[in-house]
Amino acid sequence: MARVVQKYGGTSVGSVERIQSVAERIKKGVNAGNEMVVVVSAMGKSTDQLVKMAKEISDTPHKREMDMLLSTGEQVTISLLTMALQEKGMKAISYTGWQAGIETDLQHGNAQITHINQENIERHLLVGTVVIVAGFQGISSEKEITTLGRGGSDTTAVALAASLHADSCEIYTDVEGVFTTDPRFVKKARKLHSISYDEMLEMAQLGAGVLHPRAVEFAKNYNVPLMVASSMTETEGTLIEEEVTMEKGLVVRGIAFENDVTKVTVSGLPNELNTLAKLFSTLSKHGINVDIIIQNQTDSEHVTISFTVTQATLKETLSTLEKAQEELQYEHIQYENGLAKVSIVGSGMVSNPGVAAKMFNILADEKIEIKMVSTSEIKVSTVLDEDDMVMAVEALHEAFQLSEEALETVI
Amino acid sequence: MARVVQKYGGTSVGSVERIQSVAERIKKGVNAGNEMVVVVSAMGKSTDQLVKMAKEISDTPHKREMDMLLSTGEQVTISLLTMALQEKGMKAISYTGWQAGIETDLQHGNAQITHINQENIERHLLVGTVVIVAGFQGISSEKEITTLGRGGSDTTAVALAASLHADSCEIYTDVEGVFTTDPRFVKKARKLHSISYDEMLEMAQLGAGVLHPRAVEFAKNYNVPLMVASSMTETEGTLIEEEVTMEKGLVVRGIAFENDVTKVTVSGLPNELNTLAKLFSTLSKHGINVDIIIQNQTDSEHVTISFTVTQATLKETLSTLEKAQEELQYEHIQYENGLAKVSIVGSGMVSNPGVAAKMFNILADEKIEIKMVSTSEIKVSTVLDEDDMVMAVEALHEAFQLSEEALETVI
């Protein structure tokens, strides 16, 4: 008997039929003798519909009320899924975040889980009841409903797996696992058998979109092995766990990419110690997420700072900067739309200084102009023209031999 | 400064636009210096949509899970309405049933309010915050979400008004108040200025459909005056309160009616002390609501019992009776479809024994056959052919002079 936490995303529970097929999958787990806790998201596009109504009422709805609103989505799914299990003759019970004892801090819309009071769940597991938990939500010390932010259901699942000492945590989604790159763009993309937490983190943050980065971090911190697999098929997924030595030799594990990137350049900023801090605090206060940051010193008195934001936040970025001109004392703002970010990821990279150079050579051979570069221990990111994105990914995938299965298992 | 509890039904909050106009109405109350608590139902048909999904999954979904599912409907409304108030610059906060301290017994789907812990609400009223409460729901001693059954939002409003010692409780709906009879059928129907709790109870149970009977009972027990008015207009509604002596003289206050009535006759039942009890316990155990009951003794050994049910429950009524034939030992079952119930209601009736006779005469003059009769202290109900219903109501409305305003205020 194993204790299993499963998580099903919005697409996996997007209709009554899908919910019934998830119930069938859970039944298999129970029949195999497992103790089961299942975390679910809101059905399909239901969260988007709720957000749309809120936006019709207010451009800036209060976050507490957004949490009250959005937390209903998962509550609908847990009750329907529980009914589906009961209809199959199984013992099941649904729990909202607060009933499941998921305690968070007070930060509405982006709350952090502080503690899980798992007594209620343990009591039901003891008598063979499947516990269906609403993902994405919790309760603060003030007894207010909070949400963990988009993708928070993954975090709920991992946190429950950690606190319940589960034997496995299975994340079911609409993709079959983690691929060397996005298979919708690169035909030769290959599903990985396993990947390390750190590599997954870089892949997720770069837009691979399989798992929420916070969930991966949480899993890493509590050493919870994650299995990512498709809820639609029976094929094996990808295991995310502590690094496997055997695979160290594989330098590049995957290629992540995203479009709709905009580069913003602020020039003529005073060359002072707190210039960077002031600029990015101003943006952060307005909730603007900045990705790549590059600083150039123009002369002894002035610096130029470039950074990337998503195209969607460009307008707010510009208006925020304009309002802060007096405080920041810059001379110009420029921006460039229609860019993309392409990154190579792999934990072996740190001991292979030539990898970045190889990447630049591959792109140069394709006559692709690199507009920005940013590196970390396990990734190299480049910003380039959106039109060059797919060509760049394909060339890198080929040159780093990612479609060749042998490399993953042998080296 | 007054303390006001308002309640808005599903149609009144059926769209974003409606919610915004409700917010405008609340704002007027706040600007008038009132402390405001507002109870709302789920938006429009959203409860029906949730029920539909549940029924696709199970014919008999567990009641606990139905409560988890349905309670999301009001939670959506409270958060959207609160956002709308905040958008107008007002202080407002939304509360689910459990957050508002609405404690109930354990009966899922039809819970009774046992106590209201109003501390949270009082705290907000003190600082001028409008408190928006989800109607229809509460929390049991086991920390389970419960619902009060259909129309329970009215009960929530009245219970809050009682426990908060509110100066008034205003129920806003899609009708303008309580009418002498249904204005959709009888053109001369007139809105009443006021009506007693008991009269309202008889009107409500007979299908006037303005207020949930439980809410009226609750209001009567705690002596909470209720104002029923339209959320769409500014016209004055109907006040429901303790009987006003001045109006005692008005014998018949209103005419209630409903169609889709079926008469079921069970004949050849053993003439025993517990025959009635056995028959109606059997039906009640299957959730079948019976309305009028008439018993005839056929001979010393046998009795015949007739009762009415709604057409929708006929099938289940018959199958329940057939399964119980051995226990009940009846000889025949007969039923008659396509009937209607027409009742006259008025608290002055008890001291006017001629009222029933007058009713029968009026119907006889119209050549309408009366198939069943049932009386209480303040109403006389008749069952007749559905095709005669409107004619009967019109004739009674005319003969009892209900369209004449003068009668209500002068006599």
Side-chain angles (χ1 to χ4, degrees):
Chain A
M1 190 183 75
R3 179 171 281 192
V4 179
V5 174
Q6 293 186 336
K7 182 254 167 178
Y8 294 91
T11 314
S12 304
V13 292
S15 66
V16 164
E17 292 70 35
R18 287 273 169 88
I19 286 174
Q20 282 164 328
S21 96
V22 165
E24 201 50 52
R25 198 177 270 267
I26 294 169
K27 191 176 179 181
K28 278 183 199 157
V30 172
N31 288 347
N34 295 327
E35 289 179 346
M36 306 274 292
V37 174
V38 179
V39 176
V40 288
S41 302
M43 290 173 73
K45 301 280 171 206
S46 63
T47 301
D48 295 343
Q49 284 163 9
L50 293 172
V51 170
K52 185 169 165 278
M53 282 200 290
K55 291 285 177 189
E56 283 174 36
I57 286 174
S58 171
D59 285 338
T60 53
H62 288 208
K63 286 182 177 174
R64 178 195 183 273
E65 299 305 328
M66 280 305 282
D67 282 358
M68 288 290 273
L69 181 66
L70 297 185
S71 59
T72 62
E74 289 76 27
Q75 194 172 327
V76 168
T77 319
I78 56 171
S79 50
L80 292 176
L81 178 56
T82 302
M83 288 174 196
L85 290 167
Q86 289 167 340
E87 186 68 12
K88 290 180 189 296
M90 298 165 71
K91 284 193 290 184
I93 189 164
S94 67
Y95 272 150
T96 61
W98 61 269
Q99 288 175 324
I102 295 171
E103 299 169 7
T104 75
D105 61 17
L106 302 167
Q107 207 183 334
H108 283 293
N110 199 23
Q112 308 277 326
I113 296 176
T114 52
H115 178 245
I116 292 186
N117 187 348
Q118 74 270 36
E119 273 171 40
N120 268 343
I121 296 178
E122 290 278 8
R123 191 160 47 85
H124 286 294
L125 292 180
L126 206 65
V127 294
T129 301
V130 180
V131 183
I132 310 294
V133 179
F136 172 73
Q137 57 181 251
I139 187 165
S140 74
S141 55
E142 307 280 314
K143 304 289 173 212
E144 296 279 15
I145 294 174
T146 53
T147 69
L148 312 180
R150 286 260 167 173
S153 289
D154 291 343
T155 310
T156 303
V158 175
L160 280 171
S163 82
L164 292 165
H165 304 288
D167 298 290
S168 74
C169 182
E170 303 166 2
I171 311 285
Y172 290 100
T173 171
D174 50 355
V175 299
E176 291 185 5
V178 182
F179 282 73
T180 51
T181 194
D182 191 332
R184 289 171 302 181
F185 291 82
V186 181
K187 234 195 289 183
K188 286 187 170 174
R190 187 175 51 80
K191 189 171 67 194
L192 292 161
H193 296 303
S194 68
I195 188 170
S196 75
Y197 295 120
D198 285 338
E199 287 169 337
M200 186 63 215
L201 274 173
E202 295 289 4
M203 297 288 276
Q205 284 171 337
L206 296 172
V210 178
L211 255 181
H212 199 270
R214 274 171 62 194
V216 180
E217 264 181 36
F218 212 113
K220 185 187 170 186
N221 290 341
Y222 289 88
N223 204 13
V224 176
L226 294 177
M227 172 62 79
V228 175
S230 164
S231 63
M232 320 288 168
T233 68
E234 295 293 331
T235 50
E236 194 202 354
T238 300
L239 186 65
I240 305 161
E241 56 181 352
E242 266 312 304
E243 212 158 330
V244 185
T245 324
M246 206 178 76
E247 292 183 340
K248 264 278 192 193
L250 192 70
V251 176
V252 175
R253 300 297 309 280
I255 297 167
F257 55 92
E258 60 184 295
N259 56 4
D260 282 339
V261 171
T262 298
K263 175 183 175 182
V264 178
T265 301
V266 185
S267 53
L269 285 155
N271 185 8
E272 287 163 8
L273 278 177
N274 65 347
T275 293
L276 265 172
K278 266 162 71 178
L279 175 61
F280 292 106
S281 310
T282 303
L283 293 171
S284 147
K285 259 182 236 154
H286 288 78
I288 296 161
N289 270 325
V290 168
D291 187 9
I292 294 179
I293 296 172
I294 288 172
Q295 180 183 338
N296 278 331
Q297 192 177 325
T298 327
D299 54 50
S300 61
E301 274 158 37
H302 296 95
V303 290
T304 294
I305 295 172
S306 295
F307 55 87
T308 60
V309 293
T310 60
Q311 213 142 299
T313 53
L314 175 63
K315 210 175 131 189
E316 203 179 345
T317 304
L318 295 178
S319 77
T320 301
L321 289 175
E322 274 156 27
K323 280 181 209 145
Q325 164 123 45
E326 201 163 325
E327 196 201 340
L328 298 174
Q329 295 176 25
Y330 58 83
E331 281 164 10
H332 294 289
I333 305 175
Q334 280 174 289
Y335 66 89
E336 187 174 0
N337 263 331
L339 303 178
K341 183 166 73 162
V342 173
S343 312
I344 54 173
V345 177
S347 52
M349 225 176 263
V350 60
S351 48
N352 276 268
V355 174
K358 182 171 176 186
M359 179 185 195
F360 304 149
N361 273 316
I362 295 163
L363 296 177
D365 286 349
E366 300 288 329
K367 310 220 182 321
I368 293 170
E369 184 195 359
I370 299 171
K371 290 166 188 281
M372 291 171 93
V373 172
S374 161
T375 59
S376 82
E377 296 207 331
I378 67 166
K379 73 156 187 201
V380 180
S381 297
T382 57
V383 173
L384 34 82
D385 207 280
E386 207 164 60
D387 295 339
D388 294 334
M389 183 180 78
V390 174
M391 193 167 64
V393 175
E394 279 178 342
L396 293 166
H397 199 267
E398 189 67 29
F400 284 110
Q401 297 171 284
L402 287 176
S403 50
E404 290 161 42
E405 177 95 20
L407 277 169
E408 190 183 356
T409 47
V410 172
I411 297 183
Chain B
M1 189 183 77
R3 179 171 281 192
V4 179
V5 174
Q6 295 186 334
K7 182 255 168 177
Y8 294 92
T11 314
S12 304
V13 292
S15 66
V16 164
E17 292 69 34
R18 289 272 170 87
I19 286 174
Q20 282 164 330
S21 96
V22 165
E24 200 50 53
R25 198 176 271 266
I26 295 169
K27 191 178 178 179
K28 279 184 200 156
V30 172
N31 289 347
N34 295 326
E35 289 179 347
M36 306 275 292
V37 175
V38 180
V39 176
V40 288
S41 303
M43 290 173 73
K45 302 278 170 206
S46 64
T47 301
D48 294 342
Q49 284 163 8
L50 293 173
V51 169
K52 186 169 164 278
M53 282 199 291
K55 291 285 177 189
E56 283 174 36
I57 287 174
S58 171
D59 286 336
T60 52
H62 287 209
K63 286 182 175 175
R64 177 196 183 275
E65 298 305 328
M66 278 306 281
D67 282 358
M68 288 290 273
L69 180 67
L70 297 184
S71 60
T72 62
E74 288 76 28
Q75 194 172 328
V76 168
T77 320
I78 56 172
S79 51
L80 292 176
L81 178 55
T82 301
M83 287 175 197
L85 290 168
Q86 288 167 340
E87 187 67 13
K88 291 180 189 296
M90 299 164 71
K91 284 193 290 184
I93 190 164
S94 67
Y95 273 150
T96 61
W98 60 269
Q99 288 175 324
I102 296 171
E103 298 169 6
T104 75
D105 61 18
L106 302 167
Q107 207 184 331
H108 283 292
N110 199 23
Q112 308 278 325
I113 296 177
T114 51
H115 177 245
I116 293 185
N117 187 350
Q118 76 269 34
E119 272 171 43
N120 267 343
I121 296 179
E122 290 278 10
R123 192 160 48 85
H124 286 294
L125 293 180
L126 205 66
V127 294
T129 301
V130 180
V131 182
I132 310 294
V133 179
F136 171 73
Q137 56 181 253
I139 187 166
S140 74
S141 55
E142 307 280 313
K143 304 291 172 210
E144 295 280 15
I145 294 174
T146 53
T147 69
L148 313 180
R150 285 259 169 175
S153 289
D154 291 342
T155 310
T156 303
V158 175
L160 280 172
S163 82
L164 291 165
H165 304 289
D167 298 290
S168 73
C169 183
E170 304 166 2
I171 310 285
Y172 290 100
T173 170
D174 50 354
V175 300
E176 290 186 7
V178 182
F179 282 73
T180 51
T181 193
D182 191 331
R184 287 171 302 180
F185 290 84
V186 180
K187 235 195 288 181
K188 286 185 170 176
R190 188 174 50 78
K191 190 171 66 198
L192 291 161
H193 296 304
S194 67
I195 188 170
S196 75
Y197 294 121
D198 285 338
E199 288 169 336
M200 186 63 216
L201 274 174
E202 293 290 5
M203 298 287 274
Q205 282 171 338
L206 296 172
V210 177
L211 256 181
H212 198 270
R214 273 172 63 192
V216 180
E217 265 180 34
F218 211 114
K220 185 187 171 185
N221 290 342
Y222 288 87
N223 203 15
V224 176
L226 293 178
M227 172 63 79
V228 176
S230 163
S231 64
M232 319 289 169
T233 69
E234 294 293 330
T235 50
E236 196 202 352
T238 300
L239 187 66
I240 305 161
E241 56 182 353
E242 264 315 302
E243 213 159 328
V244 186
T245 324
M246 208 178 77
E247 292 185 339
K248 264 279 192 193
L250 191 69
V251 175
V252 175
R253 301 296 311 280
I255 297 167
F257 55 91
E258 58 184 297
N259 55 5
D260 283 340
V261 171
T262 298
K263 176 183 173 181
V264 178
T265 301
V266 185
S267 53
L269 284 155
N271 184 8
E272 286 163 10
L273 277 177
N274 65 347
T275 293
L276 266 171
K278 265 162 71 178
L279 175 60
F280 292 105
S281 309
T282 304
L283 293 171
S284 146
K285 258 182 236 156
H286 287 77
I288 296 162
N289 270 324
V290 168
D291 188 8
I292 295 181
I293 297 171
I294 289 173
Q295 180 183 338
N296 279 329
Q297 194 178 322
T298 327
D299 55 51
S300 62
E301 273 158 39
H302 295 97
V303 291
T304 294
I305 294 172
S306 295
F307 55 88
T308 61
V309 293
T310 61
Q311 212 142 300
T313 53
L314 175 63
K315 210 174 132 189
E316 203 179 344
T317 305
L318 295 179
S319 77
T320 301
L321 289 175
E322 274 157 26
K323 279 182 210 143
Q325 163 123 45
E326 200 163 325
E327 196 199 340
L328 299 175
Q329 296 176 25
Y330 58 82
E331 281 166 10
H332 293 290
I333 305 175
Q334 282 174 290
Y335 66 89
E336 187 174 2
N337 262 332
L339 303 179
K341 183 166 73 165
V342 174
S343 312
I344 54 174
V345 176
S347 51
M349 226 177 261
V350 59
S351 48
N352 276 269
V355 175
K358 183 172 176 186
M359 181 187 193
F360 303 150
N361 273 318
I362 296 163
L363 296 178
D365 285 349
E366 301 287 331
K367 311 220 179 321
I368 293 170
E369 184 197 357
I370 299 171
K371 291 166 185 281
M372 291 171 93
V373 172
S374 159
T375 60
S376 82
E377 295 208 329
I378 66 167
K379 74 157 186 200
V380 181
S381 297
T382 57
V383 172
L384 33 82
D385 206 280
E386 205 164 59
D387 295 338
D388 294 332
M389 181 178 80
V390 174
M391 193 167 64
V393 174
E394 279 177 344
L396 293 167
H397 200 267
E398 189 66 28
F400 284 111
Q401 297 172 283
L402 287 175
S403 51
E404 290 160 45
E405 178 94 18
L407 279 170
E408 189 181 358
T409 48
V410 172
I411 300 184

